[in-house]
Every structure is written in structure tokens, then in C-alpha cells.
Amino acid sequence: MQVNLRIRRFNPEKDSKAYWGEFNLNDVDPTDTVLDVLNRVKWEIDGTLSLRRSCAHGVCGSDALRINGSNALACKTLVKRLGSGDSVKIQVEPILGLPVIKDLIVDMEPFMAHYREVLPYFINDSEPPENGRERLQSQEDRMRFDDTTKCILCACCTSSCPSFWANGQYVGPAAIVQAHRFIFDSRDEGAEERLAVVGDAFGVWRCRTNFNCTSACPRDIEVTEAIAQVKKVLTTGEI
Amino acid sequence: MTTTSPDITGITRRKVQVQNNFERRAFLFMRVSGIALLFLAVGHMMIQHVLNSSTNLSIIFVAEQWNSWGWKVYDMLLLGFAYLHGMNGFRNVLEDYIHNRSAIKIINIFLAVFAVITIIWAGYAIAAFNPEAAIQAVGG
């Protein structure tokens, strides 16, 4: 099949503003991914095209892009999903809400700064069990945060959130998902510190529940549901 | 933080201290007023436009309705909840797009004063409404 590819290009050393680069590719396999197509452009047509990618199997989360207007991982998006017939149009842009460094690469630091704010690590200062084994919890307790353990920090959710676009001070869905993962862990003792961060004026209250984050998540995490659960803890004081 | 053992469902419930800041109270108000408006606003629409024809709405109709303190209170509750719900939504939108803290503080104070004055003014108009005088004025 033929692919007409539009890529948002920007080279800070040459360009005063971003522009669309167009590439036509023939003999694209329908089961090729958008990452395969971008690699073909970079390796065969224009070596200056800049993009992040690593594992190419939807695990590392480094190739989050805005593809045909929706956030997704380029390595998990098949060309055949973007159109039918012999010719498909694909438009690829960097994810929104974060400063563009070059072409499809954005500065992830503002995103990571919010991630660090919610203390995304296990906090428990009490003595470990005397038998030297792990801190046990019931299967039901483990299931409460199972969904939010799947986050790969690709930023698809946060960069699809209109509240984050409007104000980058909002911690964003990904940071709240990370906070949820530890707040709902019965073995963790840092819930109050995290709730102080996500209960702030730039925390969960900025969420307008428009579900962009849930639609964008390549790991199918129920992001809006997780945010709602954190809001409930903040309103009831009970986990 | 107080922790209890897993309950019958296997889930460990924990009590936590949470900050009771303005945003939390505003969030709760939006939920409570949203539920109240579901009944008040839908009830208002049903009464005005379904049970009565909107083409027959006149000062006489309003005067007859506001002859009862029950309806006056109903409309004052509708006024208060709808106005504050809308104003808080407006505040949220403005806070999304205006990032200067001093500017947003001044705007919030203005919105709060404007909302309180408008609600008191409109509430007084409803409370002080004299149905008989209104009917006489239009020759009813």
C-alpha cells in the first residue's frame, strides 16, 4: 500500500517555526507500524529526521507521538488501523504541551518533574517482618492498584490532557496514576505526603474528566477512573 | 494514618489526614450543587415548559407562583446553586488560562463580590416581590 506521510518538522538551528514535511512511501505493508514507516523515512530518505525510539515493542514508552490527531505509541500503531484501501494518509506530530527540541522529540523534563513531585517510590519506615520475608498483602489489596502499575511513563495521557495544555503546572494524569499506585498500596506509608501534592490547587482538581487520557493510554489504564479514586480519597479521607 | 486489618472483602481500609483547602471544598460544592440542580433546574423546566405552555408565561403566571413562599424558596435555591455553580466553573476556566497569580487573585475577588451582590440583589427581588401589586399593575 502507499502511504502519504506528513511529519511536523522543526530544527531549532535553522527554522524560525515548525512546518509540515511530506513523504510518499510505496510498498508499505499494512501490518507495518508507524515507527517502521518513520524509520524508513529516516534511513532511506531523510537522515535528519529526529525521533525517539528504543524497544519498538510498546514497553519502553519512548515513541509517544500525536498520530492523526490522537496520542499513541508509534510502535504499537499499525498502518492498516489508520485507513483502508491502497493509500493511507498519516500525520505525525510531537506530543502537545511539552517544548519541542527537534522534529518529533520533546523535552520530557517538565513531565518528569511532576512525576518526581508525587514521590513515586515505596515509603515504609517501619521494621520489616521478623521472619525476614516480604511485607504481605491480600490479593484484594494488590488488585486495588494493579491497573496503575502498568504505566510506562510514555506521557501519552498527560500530553493529551487539555488542562495540561492550558497550564503546565497541573501535575497531569501520569503523575496522578503514579501517586495512585502507591496511595492504594496497603504496605505503603507515604499516602498523606502524596495526597498533599495531588490535593493541591494544581493537583487532581484540575482534571475535567474528559477521558482523553484514558483513550490515549497505550497500556489501557483506566486513567480517569484512577484520578476519580484519588479524588474520592481526598474527599472522604479514607483509602 | 490509621490502618485496619483486611475486612471481609480482603481490603485494608486506612484513614488518612487530607488538607481541607478551597479547591477541595469547591469540588464538593460542585458535586452537591450539581445534584441539587438536577432536580431544581429540570423541575423548573418541566413546570415552565412541559406542564405549562411557554407561550402562556406572563407576569400573572409568575405572580401566582410567587404568591407561595414555597416557590419563592425554590427559585432562590435555583438562583443560588446555578449562579455559584456557573461562577465556580467560570473561575476554573479562567484559572486554566490565566497563569499570573496576582491577576487571578484579583479576578477571583471580583467574581466572588460580583456573585454575592448579584445573588443578594436577585434574592431580595424574589423575596420582596408583591404578587397582588404585580397583578394590579398589569390590570389582571
Side-chain angles (χ1 to χ4, degrees):
Chain A
M1 76 195 311
Q2 192 182 46
V3 168
N4 172 252
L5 189 61
R6 292 181 84 216
I7 305 175
R8 197 71 173 156
R9 305 294 304 271
F10 175 67
N11 181 347
E13 292 171 357
K14 282 192 341 192
D15 307 319
S16 57
K17 62 176 186 177
Y19 64 97
W20 291 104
E22 292 222 17
F23 303 89
N24 287 306
L25 301 175
N26 296 317
D27 300 324
V28 174
D29 195 297
T31 57
D32 278 351
T33 64
V34 172
L35 181 62
D36 293 328
V37 175
L38 290 169
N39 279 337
R40 258 186 75 179
V41 171
K42 184 171 176 65
W43 294 338
E44 299 171 16
I45 303 171
D46 184 352
T48 67
L49 175 66
S50 299
L51 68 148
R52 277 199 188 99
R53 78 276 194 212
S54 186
C55 77
H57 286 79
V59 178
C60 73
S62 57
D63 61 348
L65 294 168
R66 189 168 158 87
I67 302 166
N68 284 4
S70 300
N71 282 6
L73 295 182
C75 61
K76 281 190 77 176
T77 307
L78 300 181
V79 170
K80 67 178 182 181
R81 294 264 173 89
L82 300 172
S84 54
D86 293 335
S87 179
V88 175
K89 286 187 175 182
I90 303 175
Q91 181 172 294
V92 183
E93 303 160 73
I95 47 178
L96 301 182
L98 295 166
V100 176
I101 296 174
K102 189 184 178 194
D103 292 337
L104 301 175
I105 299 177
V106 295
D107 180 5
M108 294 288 279
E109 182 47 32
F111 172 82
M112 290 299 175
H114 288 313
Y115 170 58
R116 289 191 294 269
E117 276 174 38
V118 300
L119 314 175
Y121 41 81
F122 186 68
I123 298 173
N124 190 328
D125 294 330
S126 61
E127 288 294 315
E130 286 181 8
N131 60 11
R133 299 292 300 274
E134 67 270 26
R135 299 171 201 273
L136 298 177
Q137 67 183 163
S138 67
Q139 290 182 17
E140 290 81 3
D141 274 336
R142 175 63 180 76
M143 280 306 294
R144 295 185 82 192
F145 61 94
D146 188 65
D147 200 33
T148 46
T149 61
K150 297 187 292 184
C151 178
I152 55 173
L153 293 171
C154 64
C156 275
C157 57
T158 297
S159 61
S160 70
C161 173
S163 293
F164 185 75
W165 298 338
N167 194 334
Q169 288 178 277
Y170 170 39
V171 292
I176 300 169
V177 162
Q178 291 296 328
H180 178 283
R181 182 257 171 268
F182 291 100
I183 289 169
F184 280 82
D185 188 335
S186 61
R187 303 162 300 178
D188 185 271
E189 292 178 348
E192 286 173 357
E193 291 168 72
R194 293 188 191 92
L195 288 167
V197 176
V198 295
D200 185 53
F202 293 106
V204 290
W205 315 120
R206 292 267 162 178
C207 169
R208 309 280 183 256
T209 56
N210 67 15
F211 285 86
N212 273 16
C213 50
T214 304
S215 306
C217 181
R219 305 283 292 179
D220 294 329
I221 299 171
E222 297 288 344
V223 182
T224 315
E225 166 77 24
I227 297 172
Q229 288 178 3
V230 174
K231 282 178 182 170
K232 193 175 177 189
V233 171
L234 282 164
T235 49
T236 61
E238 185 179 299
I239 302 173
Chain B
M1 185 166 63
T2 55
T3 308
T4 58
S5 301
D7 61 16
I8 196 163
T9 62
I11 290 174
T12 309
R13 301 287 173 193
R14 290 171 289 157
K15 290 272 182 203
V16 281
Q17 287 284 331
V18 290
Q19 50 180 330
N20 189 19
N21 56 18
F22 176 77
E23 291 298 337
R24 177 181 179 272
R25 290 194 292 269
F27 173 82
L28 285 169
F29 171 77
M30 292 301 265
R31 265 54 198 168
V32 171
S33 59
I35 293 167
L37 285 171
L38 198 63
F39 295 100
L40 291 168
V42 172
H44 178 83
M45 194 194 73
M46 289 292 289
I47 292 161
Q48 308 292 346
H49 300 287
V50 179
L51 300 177
N52 293 289
S53 168
S54 56
T55 54
N56 294 335
L57 287 182
S58 63
I59 188 70
I60 305 284
F61 179 86
V62 175
E64 284 172 355
Q65 205 176 31
W66 279 356
N67 205 18
S68 144
W69 266 101
W71 285 115
K72 280 188 174 183
V73 170
Y74 182 103
D75 282 355
M76 281 193 275
L77 284 173
L78 181 60
L79 165 76
F81 279 126
Y83 205 79
L84 290 174
H85 190 96
M87 275 300 199
N88 190 45
F90 186 44
R91 178 189 70 87
N92 280 328
V93 174
L94 291 178
E95 286 199 3
D96 273 347
Y97 293 97
I98 300 171
H99 301 165
N100 183 314
R101 296 311 300 163
S102 305
I104 204 69
K105 197 172 180 183
I106 293 167
I107 290 169
N108 282 344
I109 291 169
F110 173 77
L111 286 180
V113 171
F114 186 73
V116 169
I117 290 174
T118 310
I119 287 172
I120 291 173
W121 186 15
Y124 174 75
I126 296 171
F129 184 82
N130 185 340
E132 289 168 14
I135 292 168
Q136 276 180 0
V138 295

